[in-house]
Amino acid sequence: MKRVISKDGTPIAFDRSGNGPAVILVDGALCYRGSGPSGSLAAALAGHFTVFTYDRRGRGDSGNTAPYAVEREIEDIEALIKEAGGSAFVYGISSGAVLALEAANHGLAIKKLAAV
């Protein structure tokens, strides 16, 4: 497990696997790296991509700085994109899809986006 520090100082826990272009997987509200669909998807993608799975703030090993705001979660994705080299593909599922769309709407360096 590694950590990036989001803009507000919150530590965000993540794992990196594979080699290739960066892809960030954004889980739904009730998931974290150890529980949810991103684990099996990361394993499937790791042969072709550098895959980042992370614990959204307040989940798993990530911190949580109050008060909650969607903008803070966008900043978390931005910190991961910077860690990934400055741009990334982003895949979001459920509420993670909404966050991924918001991140794109905020102009983050997202090469392509998939939202389900």
Side-chain angles (χ1 to χ4, degrees), residues 1 3 11 19 24 31 33-34 41 43 45 47 60 65-66 78 83 93 98:
M1 176 193 63
R3 285 196 168 101
N19 276 314
I24 297 170
C31 302
R33 286 174 304 144
L41 180 57
L45 294 173
T65 304
E78 182 176 31
E83 178 71 20
I93 185 167
V98 175

Side-chain angles (χ1 to χ4, degrees), residues 28-68:
L30 300 177
C31 302
Y32 63 100
R33 286 174 304 144
S35 169
S38 288
S40 58
L41 180 57
L45 294 173
H48 303 283
F49 295 92
T50 300
V51 183
F52 290 79
T53 56
Y54 74 102
D55 293 340
R56 286 176 50 187
R57 61 177 49 225
R59 297 160 181 85
D61 294 315
S62 287
N64 191 23
T65 304
Y68 175 83

